[in-house]
Amino acid sequence: MAESHEIIGKKRKKKRSHMQMAKKFARQRSSGNELDKDTYQYLIRVLELMRAGFPTSEEKLMYVQNVYQETVGHEIEYAQNQVGSRVMDSLLKYVNLETIQRLVKALESSLRKLSSNRFASHVLQKIIMVCADRGNRISNISTTEKTTINKTSTEAEDGAADAVIEVKYAEVKIYNDIVLKLSRYYVNNMEEFIFDTYANHVLRTVIECLAGLIENADSEDNKKSMPCLASRRPVVQEYSDLLVQCCDRLQKWPQFLEFGQNEVTSGLVQCVLYSLKDVDSDLTKIIITKISKKCFKPGEDGKLSDIFNTECSIRILEVCLMVATPKSFKKLYKMFFAGNLKHLCLTRSTNFSVQKLLDHCSTKEELEMIFDEVSEYFPEILKQGFTGILASAGNACLRLQIKQGAFVSAIIKLLECGASTQDQMQLVPCTVTLKSLAQLKDLPNDQQPPFNLHGSLMIQAMLQFNKPIKIVNSLLEMNNEELLRLFGDPKGSRILDAFMDSKYIGEKSCEKLFKKLRDTWAELAKSTHGSRCLDKVWAWARMNHKLLIMDELAAAGESLRLTKSGRIIFTKLNLSLFQRSKKEWSESQGKQEKTRALFANIIGNVSEKS
């Protein structure tokens, strides 16, 4: 049996780390604002030490305080240097209130210049994020709790607890005052900063933080195009008031009508839209109306609106769809999409807009109209390779509980696997590769077609439909080698999750799948994604199933330890005890089951299918 955990293909070239780039600049000495050689080398050593870690969190905090003490009198100089900015940015989450106050005081005299600096602007963003984070963690705590302390701990790469910062209740207002003071400065000078690339991003951070879209201070991922709206925090009223004032002033500015034509200003408009959502629905509606009626011309005589002319304006439309009320959504659909879906589906720059249209449609009536039109073009969409539309259509049918049978029939027709009952058994192999039955049959026996992400997402959606029988039968028709390859693949492994979690798939089908996976457990355990699938089945399995799995793992023996995933499974399932004594192992499992049953009302019973 082929080892599914081996990764075949060309290795992607790794990007240089910040440390490698810093050392390169140390040799070239051209890294923005020049620092003297000793200072520059000191800052590089700081980054190296922080990356290596410290024995205790206390030592780490003490070291960070010492580093910031070294910056006294040189804050502006360091902030404008690439490595200096990196040090100040990455260490800010570990400094106390006093240090942040000193840093803000040192920088505020040069805010205008620093906001437009490619390096210093990141430090300003981090100050706002850290202060907003600390000022809005305990907003629901009673004001009578005068000495309440809120601790923030991050998790180090090795899983150990990182340094802990204490935020006293008395400090909360001070942190918020810092945010509000800086925010008012940017709001009052908004017209000056909007068209500057770096200052514009500081302004976006201000708007997001005022809206409660506050990133964790330890987050290193600054590449996200949009924060998670589900993690919006409750914030003090002053934040909300300033946010509404800022956004209202922005939309009343005459130049607002041109913001959709520029990438930098388009990003700011998008930020305003998703920040206002759930904060001020009336102002959100006003801005959407202005964008759709005044910023862009509606399509006439079969021509598309000019909103589709540039990528930056298309992104604004997509965010409008995301934040619109059902009534506004309907107007956007009729104004920009109705009657134009064929062209939009088959054009590279606009097919993502159709995906967003499907993803954020919230009424059955609207989806029915959209689906009826889009499904006609499934063959052409597949030919063009814009298969995200197919996945979005499937998820929309699942979410709104409509057109599910029509979607399955459309996919069967699209992949030409419905001529007979036997052909329908190939629905899953065809869908997960997005190849027709004829294309699969034409492949040489030794050639395995790659799995398609959108195909996998479609199967996951269809498994959760009200009547998933065709997909279930097709999956259970696959042999264990095919299932091993599917579940060991990053794109295919989530299919098993959908199968086990679906409330419309019964116990008998799960039993059949378990039997199909016989002789694959050891191979699944050795791969990253396969071992996760094994975990999923284990959570469902009863003791007789677990014993069968353990017999196979025990037969594999030490070979399990050859991979990281295998070693984890070996330890987690206590395979060494099973090999010594099945009776003792069964008794230990029984104790675990009793403990889990005691706390079932708290943690939920994961082994039961609803």
Side-chain angles (χ1 to χ4, degrees):
M1 188 181 291
E3 293 201 1
S4 63
H5 53 276
E6 289 184 2
I7 298 174
I8 299 170
K10 189 177 180 180
K11 264 193 172 182
R12 182 180 296 178
K13 188 176 179 180
K14 290 182 73 175
K15 291 184 179 179
R16 291 185 179 184
S17 66
H18 288 287
M19 191 62 61
Q20 289 171 324
M21 293 300 292
K23 289 178 178 177
K24 176 186 175 184
F25 283 126
R27 294 191 296 271
Q28 295 178 348
R29 305 303 299 122
S30 61
S31 56
N33 189 45
E34 287 290 333
L35 297 174
D36 64 79
K37 186 176 180 180
D38 290 342
T39 302
Y40 192 84
Q41 292 295 341
Y42 166 70
L43 293 173
I44 290 178
R45 287 197 299 275
V46 170
L47 290 175
E48 288 175 337
L49 274 171
M50 292 299 293
R51 189 173 183 180
F54 292 82
T56 65
S57 59
E58 289 77 13
E59 287 183 53
K60 187 172 191 175
L61 291 175
M62 193 180 301
Y63 180 74
V64 170
Q65 290 302 128
N66 289 339
V67 171
Y68 262 89
Q69 194 62 38
E70 290 292 322
T71 69
V72 174
H74 303 281
E75 292 90 349
I76 294 175
E77 184 183 356
Y78 285 12
Q80 293 182 96
N81 177 270
Q82 183 174 18
V83 178
S85 166
R86 177 73 179 171
V87 169
M88 295 174 78
D89 184 316
S90 59
L91 270 58
L92 252 171
K93 60 187 175 183
Y94 301 116
V95 302
N96 57 26
L97 175 60
E98 184 183 350
T99 304
I100 289 179
Q101 286 177 306
R102 175 179 60 76
L103 180 60
V104 172
K105 188 175 181 181
L107 298 179
E108 63 184 1
S109 62
S110 303
L111 274 181
R112 183 171 270 99
K113 179 177 74 171
L114 296 177
S115 299
S116 300
N117 184 276
R118 62 183 298 198
F119 303 127
S121 58
H122 292 287
V123 177
L124 293 170
Q125 284 179 264
K126 185 52 93 49
I127 290 172
I128 294 166
M129 283 192 287
V130 169
C131 291
D133 174 48
R134 295 181 186 178
N136 292 277
R137 284 204 205 109
I138 52 175
S139 57
N140 296 325
I141 294 178
S142 170
T143 52
T144 58
E145 296 176 289
K146 296 180 181 178
T147 58
T148 301
I149 291 176
N150 189 23
K151 293 185 178 181
T152 302
S153 65
T154 59
E155 197 170 278
E157 288 182 7
D158 59 0
D162 199 356
V164 176
I165 302 297
E166 295 181 348
V167 181
K168 296 180 181 178
Y169 190 84
E171 295 176 338
V172 169
K173 185 177 186 305
I174 302 173
Y175 279 119
N176 283 327
D177 285 344
I178 293 172
V179 175
L180 289 167
K181 183 180 179 181
L182 290 172
S183 297
R184 288 190 183 104
Y185 172 79
Y186 286 104
V187 171
N188 291 337
N189 295 276
M190 186 165 50
E191 291 85 357
E192 180 181 347
F193 291 138
I194 280 174
F195 297 102
D196 181 273
T197 301
Y198 302 107
N200 183 289
H201 281 81
V202 181
L203 187 55
R204 293 186 207 182
T205 298
V206 166
I207 291 171
E208 288 175 1
C209 288
L210 292 177
L213 300 172
I214 305 166
E215 287 186 26
N216 289 329
D218 60 307
S219 174
E220 297 294 334
D221 182 12
N222 296 321
K223 295 181 179 179
K224 293 185 292 185
S225 58
M226 192 180 76
C228 176
L229 301 189
S231 61
R232 188 191 297 268
R233 300 189 201 177
V235 291
V236 294
Q237 188 60 41
E238 292 96 324
Y239 276 37
S240 301
D241 293 343
L242 185 56
L243 172 69
V244 173
Q245 176 193 329
C246 169
C247 296
D248 188 44
R249 179 178 162 188
L250 183 69
Q251 67 91 14
K252 287 177 179 175
W253 198 32
Q255 281 89 335
F256 180 83
L257 301 180
E258 302 166 12
F259 282 2
Q261 309 299 332
N262 178 281
E263 188 176 344
V264 173
T265 51
S266 167
L268 181 64
V269 174
Q270 294 169 52
C271 173
V272 165
L273 284 167
Y274 60 67
S275 295
L276 275 178
K277 178 179 167 63
D278 302 325
V279 176
D280 191 323
S281 57
D282 291 337
L283 184 54
T284 305
K285 184 179 178 181
I286 289 170
I287 295 175
I288 291 175
T289 302
K290 179 169 280 193
I291 290 170
S292 59
K293 292 187 176 180
K294 294 185 179 181
C295 295
F296 301 97
K297 297 175 183 177
E300 294 176 354
D301 302 325
K303 292 182 179 180
L304 289 176
S305 163
D306 59 352
I307 202 169
F308 294 109
N309 288 355
T310 62
E311 186 173 338
C312 50
S313 57
I314 292 172
R315 297 292 88 84
I316 289 179
L317 175 60
E318 291 171 3
V319 177
C320 286
L321 291 170
M322 187 187 76
V323 303
T325 61
K327 189 175 179 180
S328 296
F329 183 95
K330 186 175 183 178
K331 290 179 180 178
L332 290 171
Y333 166 66
K334 288 185 175 179
M335 191 175 295
F336 297 111
F337 293 91
N340 298 315
L341 280 173
K342 181 176 182 180
H343 180 81
L344 295 173
C345 286
L346 303 178
T347 304
R348 182 171 297 278
S349 61
T350 58
N351 81 89
F352 296 105
S353 300
V354 180
Q355 293 180 41
K356 295 291 183 183
L357 183 74
L358 289 161
D359 291 340
H360 298 289
C361 181
S362 59
T363 62
K364 293 184 178 182
E365 295 76 14
E366 295 295 319
L367 180 60
E368 193 165 1
M369 286 191 291
I370 296 168
F371 181 86
D372 286 344
E373 189 174 350
V374 170
S375 60
E376 291 180 30
Y377 314 124
F378 276 6
E380 294 163 90
I381 291 169
L382 179 61
K383 187 177 180 180
Q384 290 290 334
F386 303 146
T387 49
I389 294 173
L390 306 181
S392 292
N395 284 318
C397 294
L398 170 64
R399 186 178 67 255
L400 296 179
Q401 299 288 295
I402 190 175
K403 290 288 184 179
Q404 295 182 354
F407 179 79
V408 175
S409 298
I411 296 303
I412 290 173
K413 182 180 178 181
L414 173 68
L415 300 174
E416 301 170 1
C417 54
S420 65
T421 304
Q422 191 58 39
D423 285 353
Q424 285 188 20
M425 293 301 169
Q426 298 302 310
L427 177 58
V428 169
C430 288
T431 306
V432 79
T433 58
L434 283 182
K435 293 188 179 295
S436 68
L437 183 57
Q439 288 175 317
L440 288 183
K441 287 180 178 178
D442 289 342
L443 290 173
N445 292 332
D446 59 343
Q447 184 178 337
Q448 299 286 359
F451 297 130
N452 184 285
L453 174 61
H454 293 138
S456 173
L457 293 172
M458 288 156 61
I459 292 172
Q460 292 169 50
M462 290 190 288
L463 282 169
Q464 297 175 76
F465 282 0
N466 296 354
K467 295 180 180 178
I469 186 65
K470 290 180 180 177
I471 301 88
V472 170
N473 288 343
S474 176
L475 191 67
L476 295 177
E477 189 67 19
M478 298 170 71
N479 61 45
N480 63 356
E481 286 194 15
E482 292 170 333
L483 291 172
L484 172 62
R485 179 172 174 262
L486 180 66
F487 295 150
D489 186 271
K491 298 185 186 76
S493 62
R494 296 289 174 181
I495 290 173
L496 185 127
D497 286 358
F499 187 97
M500 303 302 292
D501 291 339
S502 175
K503 58 185 178 181
Y504 298 106
I505 296 177
E507 243 352 90
K508 288 184 179 178
S509 295
C510 291
E511 287 276 1
K512 288 178 182 177
L513 182 62
F514 180 85
K515 290 176 182 177
K516 280 280 183 179
L517 290 170
R518 185 179 177 182
D519 297 329
T520 67
W521 301 115
E523 287 298 315
L524 285 171
K526 293 175 187 177
S527 71
T528 302
H529 302 283
S531 61
R532 199 189 54 74
C533 288
L534 193 155
D535 273 337
K536 189 71 179 179
V537 174
W538 188 269
W540 160 84
R542 292 186 290 274
M543 183 55 72
N544 60 320
H545 301 122
K546 292 179 178 180
L547 287 170
L548 291 172
I549 293 172
M550 292 301 289
D551 283 333
E552 285 190 29
L553 297 181
E558 291 299 313
S559 67
L560 280 181
R561 297 187 178 216
L562 296 177
T563 67
K564 181 181 178 181
S565 300
R567 289 192 294 273
I568 292 171
I569 291 292
F570 190 97
T571 305
K572 184 176 181 179
L573 301 188
N574 205 351
L575 188 57
S576 55
L577 175 61
F578 183 85
Q579 289 171 324
R580 283 200 312 272
S581 170
K582 288 187 180 181
K583 184 178 178 183
E584 287 183 32
W585 182 88
S586 297
E587 288 173 355
S588 71
Q589 288 292 309
K591 290 177 183 177
Q592 289 180 21
E593 290 298 329
K594 287 179 181 178
T595 304
R596 191 177 289 113
L598 285 172
F599 294 97
N601 61 330
I602 300 173
I603 63 174
N605 192 340
V606 295
S607 64
E608 285 185 8
K609 284 183 71 71
S610 54

PDB file of all heavy atoms in Angstrom, residues 547 550-551 554 577-588:
ATOM      1  N   LEU A 547     -10.750  -1.273  20.130  1.00  0.00           N
ATOM      2  CA  LEU A 547      -9.882  -2.451  20.226  1.00  0.00           C
ATOM      3  C   LEU A 547      -9.379  -2.870  18.850  1.00  0.00           C
ATOM      4  O   LEU A 547      -8.207  -3.257  18.688  1.00  0.00           O
ATOM      5  CB  LEU A 547     -10.623  -3.608  20.902  1.00  0.00           C
ATOM      6  CG  LEU A 547     -10.841  -3.447  22.415  1.00  0.00           C
ATOM      7  CD1 LEU A 547     -11.797  -4.520  22.928  1.00  0.00           C
ATOM      8  CD2 LEU A 547      -9.511  -3.529  23.159  1.00  0.00           C
ATOM      9  N   MET A 550      -6.710  -0.409  17.846  1.00  0.00           N
ATOM     10  CA  MET A 550      -5.484  -0.621  18.622  1.00  0.00           C
ATOM     11  C   MET A 550      -4.740  -1.879  18.172  1.00  0.00           C
ATOM     12  O   MET A 550      -3.507  -1.909  18.178  1.00  0.00           O
ATOM     13  CB  MET A 550      -5.823  -0.721  20.113  1.00  0.00           C
ATOM     14  CG  MET A 550      -6.322   0.588  20.720  1.00  0.00           C
ATOM     15  SD  MET A 550      -5.148   1.946  20.576  1.00  0.00           S
ATOM     16  CE  MET A 550      -3.894   1.448  21.743  1.00  0.00           C
ATOM     17  N   ASP A 551      -5.474  -2.909  17.776  1.00  0.00           N
ATOM     18  CA  ASP A 551      -4.820  -4.119  17.260  1.00  0.00           C
ATOM     19  C   ASP A 551      -3.978  -3.802  16.029  1.00  0.00           C
ATOM     20  O   ASP A 551      -2.850  -4.287  15.877  1.00  0.00           O
ATOM     21  CB  ASP A 551      -5.865  -5.191  16.920  1.00  0.00           C
ATOM     22  CG  ASP A 551      -6.397  -5.894  18.166  1.00  0.00           C
ATOM     23  OD1 ASP A 551      -5.660  -5.951  19.164  1.00  0.00           O
ATOM     24  OD2 ASP A 551      -7.550  -6.382  18.129  1.00  0.00           O
ATOM     25  N   ALA A 554      -0.953  -1.703  17.116  1.00  0.00           N
ATOM     26  CA  ALA A 554       0.027  -2.546  17.815  1.00  0.00           C
ATOM     27  C   ALA A 554       0.807  -3.406  16.827  1.00  0.00           C
ATOM     28  O   ALA A 554       2.004  -3.634  16.993  1.00  0.00           O
ATOM     29  CB  ALA A 554      -0.682  -3.424  18.843  1.00  0.00           C
ATOM     30  N   LEU A 577       1.015   0.603  26.782  1.00  0.00           N
ATOM     31  CA  LEU A 577       0.232  -0.137  27.778  1.00  0.00           C
ATOM     32  C   LEU A 577      -0.602  -1.213  27.089  1.00  0.00           C
ATOM     33  O   LEU A 577      -0.705  -2.346  27.596  1.00  0.00           O
ATOM     34  CB  LEU A 577      -0.682   0.823  28.544  1.00  0.00           C
ATOM     35  CG  LEU A 577      -1.648   0.182  29.552  1.00  0.00           C
ATOM     36  CD1 LEU A 577      -0.878  -0.570  30.636  1.00  0.00           C
ATOM     37  CD2 LEU A 577      -2.557   1.244  30.185  1.00  0.00           C
ATOM     38  N   PHE A 578      -1.185  -0.902  25.950  1.00  0.00           N
ATOM     39  CA  PHE A 578      -1.992  -1.880  25.205  1.00  0.00           C
ATOM     40  C   PHE A 578      -1.143  -3.085  24.819  1.00  0.00           C
ATOM     41  O   PHE A 578      -1.613  -4.240  24.887  1.00  0.00           O
ATOM     42  CB  PHE A 578      -2.569  -1.228  23.957  1.00  0.00           C
ATOM     43  CG  PHE A 578      -3.470  -2.126  23.153  1.00  0.00           C
ATOM     44  CD1 PHE A 578      -4.818  -2.263  23.470  1.00  0.00           C
ATOM     45  CD2 PHE A 578      -2.970  -2.864  22.083  1.00  0.00           C
ATOM     46  CE1 PHE A 578      -5.651  -3.100  22.730  1.00  0.00           C
ATOM     47  CE2 PHE A 578      -3.790  -3.699  21.340  1.00  0.00           C
ATOM     48  CZ  PHE A 578      -5.142  -3.813  21.668  1.00  0.00           C
ATOM     49  N   GLN A 579       0.097  -2.831  24.417  1.00  0.00           N
ATOM     50  CA  GLN A 579       0.981  -3.932  24.016  1.00  0.00           C
ATOM     51  C   GLN A 579       1.362  -4.819  25.200  1.00  0.00           C
ATOM     52  O   GLN A 579       1.552  -6.013  25.038  1.00  0.00           O
ATOM     53  CB  GLN A 579       2.244  -3.369  23.354  1.00  0.00           C
ATOM     54  CG  GLN A 579       1.986  -2.771  21.978  1.00  0.00           C
ATOM     55  CD  GLN A 579       3.186  -2.030  21.419  1.00  0.00           C
ATOM     56  OE1 GLN A 579       3.934  -1.389  22.160  1.00  0.00           O
ATOM     57  NE2 GLN A 579       3.380  -2.113  20.115  1.00  0.00           N
ATOM     58  N   ARG A 580       1.417  -4.203  26.395  1.00  0.00           N
ATOM     59  CA  ARG A 580       1.751  -4.984  27.589  1.00  0.00           C
ATOM     60  C   ARG A 580       0.546  -5.754  28.104  1.00  0.00           C
ATOM     61  O   ARG A 580       0.640  -6.922  28.433  1.00  0.00           O
ATOM     62  CB  ARG A 580       2.261  -4.061  28.710  1.00  0.00           C
ATOM     63  CG  ARG A 580       3.673  -3.587  28.543  1.00  0.00           C
ATOM     64  CD  ARG A 580       4.248  -3.100  29.883  1.00  0.00           C
ATOM     65  NE  ARG A 580       3.358  -2.209  30.593  1.00  0.00           N
ATOM     66  CZ  ARG A 580       3.341  -0.898  30.418  1.00  0.00           C
ATOM     67  NH1 ARG A 580       4.152  -0.341  29.536  1.00  0.00           N
ATOM     68  NH2 ARG A 580       2.510  -0.140  31.121  1.00  0.00           N
ATOM     69  N   SER A 581      -0.604  -5.053  28.171  1.00  0.00           N
ATOM     70  CA  SER A 581      -1.786  -5.694  28.745  1.00  0.00           C
ATOM     71  C   SER A 581      -3.060  -5.059  28.196  1.00  0.00           C
ATOM     72  O   SER A 581      -3.384  -3.910  28.533  1.00  0.00           O
ATOM     73  CB  SER A 581      -1.754  -5.577  30.275  1.00  0.00           C
ATOM     74  OG  SER A 581      -2.987  -5.985  30.836  1.00  0.00           O
ATOM     75  N   LYS A 582      -3.783  -5.800  27.382  1.00  0.00           N
ATOM     76  CA  LYS A 582      -5.041  -5.280  26.834  1.00  0.00           C
ATOM     77  C   LYS A 582      -6.050  -5.034  27.946  1.00  0.00           C
ATOM     78  O   LYS A 582      -6.841  -4.083  27.887  1.00  0.00           O
ATOM     79  CB  LYS A 582      -5.629  -6.267  25.824  1.00  0.00           C
ATOM     80  CG  LYS A 582      -4.883  -6.356  24.510  1.00  0.00           C
ATOM     81  CD  LYS A 582      -5.635  -7.237  23.526  1.00  0.00           C
ATOM     82  CE  LYS A 582      -4.897  -7.348  22.200  1.00  0.00           C
ATOM     83  NZ  LYS A 582      -5.623  -8.172  21.223  1.00  0.00           N
ATOM     84  N   LYS A 583      -6.009  -5.884  28.969  1.00  0.00           N
ATOM     85  CA  LYS A 583      -6.969  -5.755  30.064  1.00  0.00           C
ATOM     86  C   LYS A 583      -6.774  -4.439  30.813  1.00  0.00           C
ATOM     87  O   LYS A 583      -7.734  -3.712  31.072  1.00  0.00           O
ATOM     88  CB  LYS A 583      -6.803  -6.933  31.026  1.00  0.00           C
ATOM     89  CG  LYS A 583      -7.836  -6.936  32.149  1.00  0.00           C
ATOM     90  CD  LYS A 583      -7.657  -8.147  33.051  1.00  0.00           C
ATOM     91  CE  LYS A 583      -8.672  -8.108  34.189  1.00  0.00           C
ATOM     92  NZ  LYS A 583      -8.493  -9.244  35.130  1.00  0.00           N
ATOM     93  N   GLU A 584      -5.507  -4.146  31.162  1.00  0.00           N
ATOM     94  CA  GLU A 584      -5.222  -2.885  31.878  1.00  0.00           C
ATOM     95  C   GLU A 584      -5.575  -1.676  31.021  1.00  0.00           C
ATOM     96  O   GLU A 584      -6.103  -0.679  31.521  1.00  0.00           O
ATOM     97  CB  GLU A 584      -3.739  -2.830  32.276  1.00  0.00           C
ATOM     98  CG  GLU A 584      -3.373  -3.757  33.414  1.00  0.00           C
ATOM     99  CD  GLU A 584      -1.901  -3.602  33.798  1.00  0.00           C
ATOM    100  OE1 GLU A 584      -1.365  -2.478  33.668  1.00  0.00           O
ATOM    101  OE2 GLU A 584      -1.287  -4.607  34.210  1.00  0.00           O
ATOM    102  N   TRP A 585      -5.275  -1.788  29.726  1.00  0.00           N
ATOM    103  CA  TRP A 585      -5.591  -0.681  28.826  1.00  0.00           C
ATOM    104  C   TRP A 585      -7.094  -0.445  28.764  1.00  0.00           C
ATOM    105  O   TRP A 585      -7.559   0.691  28.825  1.00  0.00           O
ATOM    106  CB  TRP A 585      -5.039  -0.977  27.423  1.00  0.00           C
ATOM    107  CG  TRP A 585      -5.288   0.128  26.438  1.00  0.00           C
ATOM    108  CD1 TRP A 585      -4.500   1.201  26.194  1.00  0.00           C
ATOM    109  CD2 TRP A 585      -6.426   0.270  25.569  1.00  0.00           C
ATOM    110  NE1 TRP A 585      -5.060   2.024  25.245  1.00  0.00           N
ATOM    111  CE2 TRP A 585      -6.243   1.467  24.843  1.00  0.00           C
ATOM    112  CE3 TRP A 585      -7.565  -0.496  25.340  1.00  0.00           C
ATOM    113  CZ2 TRP A 585      -7.156   1.904  23.896  1.00  0.00           C
ATOM    114  CZ3 TRP A 585      -8.483  -0.047  24.409  1.00  0.00           C
ATOM    115  CH2 TRP A 585      -8.273   1.136  23.690  1.00  0.00           C
ATOM    116  N   SER A 586      -7.871  -1.543  28.663  1.00  0.00           N
ATOM    117  CA  SER A 586      -9.334  -1.434  28.601  1.00  0.00           C
ATOM    118  C   SER A 586      -9.886  -0.824  29.886  1.00  0.00           C
ATOM    119  O   SER A 586     -10.823  -0.014  29.852  1.00  0.00           O
ATOM    120  CB  SER A 586      -9.966  -2.817  28.379  1.00  0.00           C
ATOM    121  OG  SER A 586      -9.567  -3.357  27.153  1.00  0.00           O
ATOM    122  N   GLU A 587      -9.299  -1.196  31.031  1.00  0.00           N
ATOM    123  CA  GLU A 587      -9.747  -0.639  32.308  1.00  0.00           C
ATOM    124  C   GLU A 587      -9.477   0.862  32.370  1.00  0.00           C
ATOM    125  O   GLU A 587     -10.311   1.642  32.852  1.00  0.00           O
ATOM    126  CB  GLU A 587      -9.051  -1.357  33.471  1.00  0.00           C
ATOM    127  CG  GLU A 587      -9.553  -2.782  33.676  1.00  0.00           C
ATOM    128  CD  GLU A 587      -8.731  -3.539  34.714  1.00  0.00           C
ATOM    129  OE1 GLU A 587      -7.708  -2.966  35.199  1.00  0.00           O
ATOM    130  OE2 GLU A 587      -9.088  -4.690  35.041  1.00  0.00           O
ATOM    131  N   SER A 588      -8.303   1.265  31.881  1.00  0.00           N
ATOM    132  CA  SER A 588      -7.970   2.702  31.891  1.00  0.00           C
ATOM    133  C   SER A 588      -8.903   3.483  30.972  1.00  0.00           C
ATOM    134  O   SER A 588      -9.299   4.612  31.287  1.00  0.00           O
ATOM    135  CB  SER A 588      -6.516   2.917  31.463  1.00  0.00           C
ATOM    136  OG  SER A 588      -6.347   2.658  30.080  1.00  0.00           O
TER     137      SER A 588
END
